[in-house]
Every structure is written in structure tokens, then in C-alpha cells.
Amino acid sequence: MDNVFNFSAGPAALPKAVMEQAQSELINWNGLGTSVMEVSHRGKEFIQVASEAEQDLRDLLSIPDNYKVLFCHGGARAQFAAVPMNLLGSHTKASYVDAGYWAESAIDEAKKYCEVDVFDAKTEIDGKVAVKPVSEWQYADDAAFVHFCPNETIDGIEIDGLPQTDKPIVADMSSNILSRQIDVSKYGVIYAGAQKNVGPSGLCIVIVRDDLLELASDILPSFLNYKVLAEKDSMFNTPPTFAWYLSGLVFKWLKAQGGVAAVEQVNREKASLLYNYIDSSDFYRNNIHPNNRSRMNVPFQLAKPELDELFLEQAKASGLVALKGHRAVGGMRASIYNAMPLEGVQALVDFMREFEAKNA
Amino acid sequence: MDNVFNFSAGPAALPKAVMEQAQSELINWNGLGTSVMEVSHRGKEFIQVASEAEQDLRDLLSIPDNYKVLFCHGGARAQFAAVPMNLLGSHTKASYVDAGYWAESAIDEAKKYCEVDVFDAKTEIDGKVAVKPVSEWQYADDAAFVHFCPNETIDGIEIDGLPQTDKPIVADMSSNILSRQIDVSKYGVIYAGAQKNVGPSGLCIVIVRDDLLELASDILPSFLNYKVLAEKDSMFNTPPTFAWYLSGLVFKWLKAQGGVAAVEQVNREKASLLYNYIDSSDFYRNNIHPNNRSRMNVPFQLAKPELDELFLEQAKASGLVALKGHRAVGGMRASIYNAMPLEGVQALVDFMREFEAKNA
């Protein structure tokens, strides 16, 4: 199939132009006669890729100079362990805000390393799933940091605003990094598994304020130690070079789109298009309160769940793939990260309308 | 440059046929209209890739049924921490054999988690660097396991034979896995960063005997926990899917070459060709005793080190790249992993002979 719109939640679609460039130079990169994944990470050619990727990411997010950018092995789950071991210092407690599946997974892992003070932010408004406003969130006085996950891929929830606290704020932005403008200076640590908005799986971006580099626990594995990685430009060990390279291409593509502000505008349009259609229909529904609807992950259910399989089958035949909802939620989910063009969401809405007309 | 022989120590050259296949299907894999790196790791298409890769590796190494095969994030350095946290159980001590740079790096990391009993296996025979015979190695009685690194990429050392012990043997085979036949049943754990003989960086293969899965420490990050990974078929978190896929292609390529026995024979020929030429010349030398010369990494020095730069420059112009020795050793290093064909080593020897004739 040639023209496919891929709604996978992750590993997710990458920009078509990026994949075409990667293909064209896969076996002869930079005229070297080898692939980028076959050269030393310490050679000048790869160092150039690595530092350009960092600079482009710094430009895209206006990352202040007192923040380090790390390209780490693993994904968010590696950071679920790395965060407390890097940041607790002499503290024995950390505050975690629970607004969904991934926040809870981070909490489970953190319990290995500290006492976890959990603020349950889940609520209901008008019968819809919602998140309590950040102004109501509470934290333990003696917490080393406050952790939250601003976009929950499975639940389809996104949180506007930031924890109101002087403590370092740690955010798992795996599924919404680079999808909207943020003020990095408000955060202590931002981390993001690459496989949704950045690149292939196996790479995790960590952005860390440099005053937080001195707090590592003795039991922290060196390859997860922010200070070690910062001092070695993320080359303490051999980094996942191909993923780093491909992420760098994505950053250049984002710049070519006009940067994060421009991409955010498109993301707003994409999300509005889909939610507005869902809300206008009795055949489809989304049970998240409008205050907290994710712009990245749009779960929706059919009024007749017995048609789920038919929907997925016909969608696939129309080139709309990976729409099956997470097994914990069921129904459908359209993940519409940066790489999904507006026309892809339009094609989905057109298909949904047609399917409704035939099956309502 | 079109015809290049890449002697990189790692990330290293991958088989040409594998890279060509990866390129041809990079943006339309399996007729899906997307890349393999853009599909869910839990979808049936990727599960097929994942399980075939495991089965092919099992076939290649005749891995017994009571061993689990894990596809982990990170490389050997992640395992330097993961091994003690997975295997110590109620022990507080482990024995490590030191025969070079990587063994020492593993020792440094292990010291975070236990008392490390170090056996210094380095020695000299007839003025050449050598390793004491395995029959002389000694271990602490109360060690949980015995760790060694059978091939040292930087030193250019390879160890024949295994520790003589009833304790679980743990081997860092990052640089010689699949290069020679081994009896997996003699090991407790074998691990190997992919980027030398397997695939791209960011993936580490772990082969672990199943009775060792119950010993994990409470502080072990879940994503490094062998038992968790075994129970979830290495999909506790999103694995590095592209690296897994590409490694699977390498395994199929190895089978098509006739398997490990056939590849080992070629590796012997490649190494003999190069060492024999070096030994026949007064212009080049290798300072490792023949008992311990690595078949994978061949460091050599020029009698006139002032010609090093000229050698590298002219080699590169002849399509022989990445021959610069590790900064800790200097001189040259030719890494001749499985993917390096015999003709590549022949081309190197031809070049070396010509360079000697001009500059001796």
C-alpha cells in the first residue's frame, strides 16, 4: 500500500520526508560508503550529527544554557528508575501526581527508591473523565521533586499548566514533547522516550537543569547518571547512534515546518477537526472532558462496539492504520503526533463520516 | 565512495546484503506502507520479526531450552550494572577476571553493588602481552558468579577456554558473539552489545539460564530485570524495534552463510591472513602473544609511528576506513567482525604490503 496514514501510538509514524532521506542515504551516508549506523560515535562525522541534533533541539525548545541535553539509552521506563536515583539527593521522599496510566507506572517504579507521596489528580466533571486543576494539586513538604506526566497516551488526557511549586518539576513528555511550546526554564527535568514525537524507539531525550547534576545516588547505574552523561556529551557508552541521527533529521524537519509554534498550530487544527466531528456525531464518542483532551492521542468509541472489527478492517483498507485502542481501554485511538499531516486527520474524519452513514 | 571496507571497532560494519535489504524496505516494510520502526511492537507483524530473530539466534548458537533470550535496551555498560543487581541474590561478593579494558570497566561498575574479588589474568610471555591460562584462574569461594570478557576490543586479546568453576559464568561477548562456536550450556549469562557482531547500537542481547531469574535485587530497575523481561518477551517496555529487526536480518544472513561453524572458519582465515602478514614484516608489529590474539580486533603498530597519519590517509583513499587504533593504545586497529569479508582483509594486506614497499 502506497499512501498510508499511520495512527500508531508508538512506535509512531515519522515524517515522510525524513524517512525518504534516511532511505536514500542508508548505505552511503555523507559519501562515506557506509551507513551512519556503521561509523564510530567518536568520529568527526557522527560528532557533527550529534551536536547538530542537540543544537536544533535547543533552538526548537529555546532551551536555556543552564540546561544539559542528554541522549540516553532506553525509553521513559528507564527514566522511571533513573529520575529518583538521580534527583533524591539526601531526600527520602518525592511527590508524584497521578492522572493516568503512565504516571502510575512511574509511581510504581519510584517506590523502589523512595517514599512516594501521591496526589490523585483524576476526577470527573459532568460525567466526563477529567484532571483536577493544577492550582488544587498538593505536594509533600519534604519531597525532593514533583513528577507528572502532561500527556497520557492511553487515557487520551493532556494537562494544561504546571505544578505550582518551588520544587524541581519533572515531566514525562514522551508523548507531547515538541508538539507545543513550553517554557523549559520552569522545569527541573524533562524526559521523553523518542518513539512518539522524536524518532525510533531505544532513545530517550533528557533535558536537565545543571544544578540538579550533583544529587545522584551511589546505586545509580553509570549509564543512567545525568552527570556522567553530561560530562561525556552522552557518549559515556556507545549511544543509539541511528536513533540519534534520525531524531536529528526530525528536528531539522520541524525547523523547516516553522518550528514548534507552527507545528502547535497544526496540532490544534488536527485535534479540533477530529474532536469536533466526534462531538457532532451520536455514532462516536470521546469520554474526556474538553479541558483535558489530548491533542496527541484521541481515543474514541463506537456507539455499536460490535462494529469495532469492521471499522478497523475498512479503515485499514482505506489506508488508515493502527487505529485500534489500547487493550486497557478498548475502542479506537487515533494518535496524531507531529508527523501526522492535517490531510491524514481529514481522511480519518471522512472515513468515519462515511462509515457512520452506512452503519448508523 | 562505492566500494569501502569498514574496519570500525564499533558501531561496526553490517553485512552489505543486510543493509541493502533494509534500504529497499525502509519506507514500505512488509507491504504495510510504513517502516518497521513505525509499527507497534505489540502488533502481529513486529511480533513475527521478534520471535523469528529469537529463534534464529537460538538455532545459530544451539541455545538450550532452559535459557531465556532477551533483547534489552543499552549496551554492555548497562549490563555492567544489571549483572550484579540481577545475580547477587543473598551473596555480597562476585569474582571478576581482569584481562583488559572492558573487564576493568565491568569491575568498576560492579563495585557499586558488591565486593568485587578481582583475579588479574594479565601477564607477559616472551615479551608479548598475554593472558594467564584459565586453569590458573582463581575465584573467591563465596562469590555469586564469575565474570569475564573473552574478547578485549581495545587490547586485541581473545581468551580461549572458560573459567574452571561450578559458579555461574557470566561472559561479556559484545565483540565476539556469533564469531565462533560456543557451548551455551556452560554459561550462566552471556551478554553482548549489538553494535559489533549483531546490529546497530542501542540493543544488548542477554542469554540467561532460567534458574538465575529469581535473584534480582530490590534496587534493580525493572527495565533491566531479567525475570521481568523474560516474562514479557522483552516487551516490558517498548524495545529498540529497528535494532531488533536489523539484528534479525543479520541472524538470517549468518544462517545463509552456513551458520556459526562456517563463519568461524572464515574468521580464522581472515585473522591468519592478517597476523601472518604482520609477523612476516619488520615494518608492522602486533604485541599480543599468539595464544591470545583476537580474531576480531587486530591492533598493529608501524615501525615508524611518524607515518601513522600517512598510512591512515592512503588507506582511506584506497577504501580501507576506520583503521585508527583506540586512543588508549595508538597505532592501527583492524576490526574484522563477521560482516568483514575475506576480500576486505586481503585488500588491507595488499595495501599494507604496498605501503611498506614504498616507505620501509
mmCIF file of all heavy atoms in Angstrom, chain A residues 29 32 39-50 235, chain B residues 8 10-11:
data_model
loop_
_atom_site.group_PDB
_atom_site.id
_atom_site.type_symbol
_atom_site.label_atom_id
_atom_site.label_comp_id
_atom_site.label_asym_id
_atom_site.label_seq_id
_atom_site.Cartn_x
_atom_site.Cartn_y
_atom_site.Cartn_z
ATOM 1 N N TRP A 29 26.213 7.074 3.437
ATOM 2 C CA TRP A 29 25.884 8.292 4.173
ATOM 3 C C TRP A 29 27.068 9.257 4.098
ATOM 4 O O TRP A 29 28.213 8.845 4.294
ATOM 5 C CB TRP A 29 25.561 7.927 5.621
ATOM 6 C CG TRP A 29 25.363 9.101 6.532
ATOM 7 C CD1 TRP A 29 24.314 9.956 6.551
ATOM 8 C CD2 TRP A 29 26.266 9.524 7.560
ATOM 9 N NE1 TRP A 29 24.497 10.895 7.538
ATOM 10 C CE2 TRP A 29 25.674 10.665 8.167
ATOM 11 C CE3 TRP A 29 27.489 9.067 8.027
ATOM 12 C CZ2 TRP A 29 26.291 11.338 9.219
ATOM 13 C CZ3 TRP A 29 28.102 9.736 9.078
ATOM 14 C CH2 TRP A 29 27.503 10.864 9.658
ATOM 15 N N LEU A 32 30.418 8.455 2.534
ATOM 16 C CA LEU A 32 31.444 7.637 3.190
ATOM 17 C C LEU A 32 31.466 6.192 2.700
ATOM 18 O O LEU A 32 32.374 5.433 3.020
ATOM 19 C CB LEU A 32 31.230 7.640 4.706
ATOM 20 C CG LEU A 32 31.467 8.961 5.446
ATOM 21 C CD1 LEU A 32 31.133 8.803 6.923
ATOM 22 C CD2 LEU A 32 32.929 9.390 5.277
ATOM 23 N N VAL A 39 29.389 3.790 11.651
ATOM 24 C CA VAL A 39 30.588 4.589 11.940
ATOM 25 C C VAL A 39 30.733 4.806 13.442
ATOM 26 O O VAL A 39 29.765 4.744 14.195
ATOM 27 C CB VAL A 39 30.559 5.966 11.220
ATOM 28 C CG1 VAL A 39 30.427 5.768 9.714
ATOM 29 C CG2 VAL A 39 29.449 6.846 11.754
ATOM 30 N N SER A 40 31.964 5.075 13.854
ATOM 31 C CA SER A 40 32.222 5.307 15.279
ATOM 32 C C SER A 40 31.468 6.537 15.773
ATOM 33 O O SER A 40 31.428 7.563 15.100
ATOM 34 C CB SER A 40 33.714 5.505 15.519
ATOM 35 O OG SER A 40 33.924 5.919 16.861
ATOM 36 N N HIS A 41 30.893 6.402 16.965
ATOM 37 C CA HIS A 41 30.225 7.544 17.584
ATOM 38 C C HIS A 41 31.236 8.613 17.961
ATOM 39 O O HIS A 41 30.864 9.744 18.234
ATOM 40 C CB HIS A 41 29.435 7.089 18.801
ATOM 41 C CG HIS A 41 30.237 6.283 19.778
ATOM 42 N ND1 HIS A 41 30.798 5.072 19.460
ATOM 43 C CD2 HIS A 41 30.572 6.508 21.076
ATOM 44 C CE1 HIS A 41 31.442 4.590 20.513
ATOM 45 N NE2 HIS A 41 31.325 5.438 21.499
ATOM 46 N N ARG A 42 32.526 8.258 17.998
ATOM 47 C CA ARG A 42 33.547 9.240 18.375
ATOM 48 C C ARG A 42 34.236 9.870 17.164
ATOM 49 O O ARG A 42 35.139 10.687 17.311
ATOM 50 C CB ARG A 42 34.596 8.583 19.276
ATOM 51 C CG ARG A 42 33.994 8.000 20.544
ATOM 52 C CD ARG A 42 35.045 7.681 21.590
ATOM 53 N NE ARG A 42 34.479 6.866 22.656
ATOM 54 C CZ ARG A 42 33.739 7.330 23.649
ATOM 55 N NH1 ARG A 42 33.468 8.610 23.724
ATOM 56 N NH2 ARG A 42 33.254 6.507 24.580
ATOM 57 N N GLY A 43 33.826 9.444 15.975
ATOM 58 C CA GLY A 43 34.411 10.026 14.761
ATOM 59 C C GLY A 43 33.821 11.396 14.476
ATOM 60 O O GLY A 43 32.723 11.723 14.915
ATOM 61 N N LYS A 44 34.542 12.213 13.693
ATOM 62 C CA LYS A 44 34.086 13.590 13.489
ATOM 63 C C LYS A 44 32.755 13.650 12.745
ATOM 64 O O LYS A 44 31.939 14.547 12.986
ATOM 65 C CB LYS A 44 35.163 14.439 12.801
ATOM 66 C CG LYS A 44 35.467 14.095 11.353
ATOM 67 C CD LYS A 44 36.490 15.104 10.812
ATOM 68 C CE LYS A 44 36.651 14.984 9.297
ATOM 69 N NZ LYS A 44 37.093 13.660 8.808
ATOM 70 N N GLU A 45 32.495 12.664 11.864
ATOM 71 C CA GLU A 45 31.233 12.700 11.120
ATOM 72 C C GLU A 45 30.040 12.526 12.068
ATOM 73 O O GLU A 45 29.058 13.261 11.968
ATOM 74 C CB GLU A 45 31.195 11.609 10.042
ATOM 75 C CG GLU A 45 32.163 11.825 8.883
ATOM 76 C CD GLU A 45 33.531 11.192 9.119
ATOM 77 O OE1 GLU A 45 33.744 10.620 10.224
ATOM 78 O OE2 GLU A 45 34.389 11.276 8.218
ATOM 79 N N PHE A 46 30.128 11.538 12.973
ATOM 80 C CA PHE A 46 28.978 11.348 13.854
ATOM 81 C C PHE A 46 28.877 12.466 14.892
ATOM 82 O O PHE A 46 27.771 12.900 15.244
ATOM 83 C CB PHE A 46 28.961 9.978 14.539
ATOM 84 C CG PHE A 46 27.655 9.788 15.250
ATOM 85 C CD1 PHE A 46 26.522 9.454 14.522
ATOM 86 C CD2 PHE A 46 27.523 10.039 16.605
ATOM 87 C CE1 PHE A 46 25.280 9.366 15.145
ATOM 88 C CE2 PHE A 46 26.288 9.954 17.234
ATOM 89 C CZ PHE A 46 25.168 9.613 16.503
ATOM 90 N N ILE A 47 30.017 12.934 15.379
ATOM 91 C CA ILE A 47 30.001 14.040 16.351
ATOM 92 C C ILE A 47 29.236 15.236 15.780
ATOM 93 O O ILE A 47 28.473 15.921 16.474
ATOM 94 C CB ILE A 47 31.445 14.472 16.716
ATOM 95 C CG1 ILE A 47 32.198 13.346 17.405
ATOM 96 C CG2 ILE A 47 31.439 15.741 17.556
ATOM 97 C CD1 ILE A 47 31.981 13.202 18.872
ATOM 98 N N GLN A 48 29.421 15.455 14.491
ATOM 99 C CA GLN A 48 28.715 16.545 13.814
ATOM 100 C C GLN A 48 27.198 16.319 13.858
ATOM 101 O O GLN A 48 26.423 17.231 14.169
ATOM 102 C CB GLN A 48 29.216 16.600 12.355
ATOM 103 C CG GLN A 48 28.496 17.580 11.459
ATOM 104 C CD GLN A 48 29.019 18.998 11.623
ATOM 105 O OE1 GLN A 48 30.006 19.224 12.329
ATOM 106 N NE2 GLN A 48 28.341 19.943 11.006
ATOM 107 N N VAL A 49 26.781 15.100 13.554
ATOM 108 C CA VAL A 49 25.359 14.750 13.627
ATOM 109 C C VAL A 49 24.833 14.981 15.037
ATOM 110 O O VAL A 49 23.772 15.574 15.251
ATOM 111 C CB VAL A 49 25.153 13.252 13.269
ATOM 112 C CG1 VAL A 49 23.744 12.793 13.627
ATOM 113 C CG2 VAL A 49 25.436 13.018 11.804
ATOM 114 N N ALA A 50 25.604 14.497 15.999
ATOM 115 C CA ALA A 50 25.176 14.544 17.391
ATOM 116 C C ALA A 50 25.032 15.982 17.867
ATOM 117 O O ALA A 50 24.032 16.355 18.498
ATOM 118 C CB ALA A 50 26.186 13.785 18.261
ATOM 119 N N MET A 235 28.150 10.314 25.545
ATOM 120 C CA MET A 235 28.944 9.229 24.953
ATOM 121 C C MET A 235 29.796 8.528 26.006
ATOM 122 O O MET A 235 30.915 8.099 25.725
ATOM 123 C CB MET A 235 29.789 9.774 23.811
ATOM 124 C CG MET A 235 28.900 10.271 22.672
ATOM 125 S SD MET A 235 29.759 10.488 21.137
ATOM 126 C CE MET A 235 28.487 11.354 20.183
ATOM 127 N N SER B 8 35.781 -0.446 11.361
ATOM 128 C CA SER B 8 35.399 0.187 12.620
ATOM 129 C C SER B 8 35.222 -0.848 13.728
ATOM 130 O O SER B 8 34.655 -1.922 13.526
ATOM 131 C CB SER B 8 34.084 0.952 12.418
ATOM 132 O OG SER B 8 33.634 1.477 13.653
ATOM 133 N N GLY B 10 33.389 -0.425 16.298
ATOM 134 C CA GLY B 10 32.003 -0.408 16.747
ATOM 135 C C GLY B 10 31.575 1.000 17.097
ATOM 136 O O GLY B 10 32.347 1.705 17.727
ATOM 137 N N PRO B 11 30.375 1.396 16.669
ATOM 138 C CA PRO B 11 29.486 0.673 15.761
ATOM 139 C C PRO B 11 30.224 0.228 14.517
ATOM 140 O O PRO B 11 30.977 1.017 13.936
ATOM 141 C CB PRO B 11 28.395 1.692 15.437
ATOM 142 C CG PRO B 11 28.350 2.592 16.638
ATOM 143 C CD PRO B 11 29.765 2.656 17.116
#
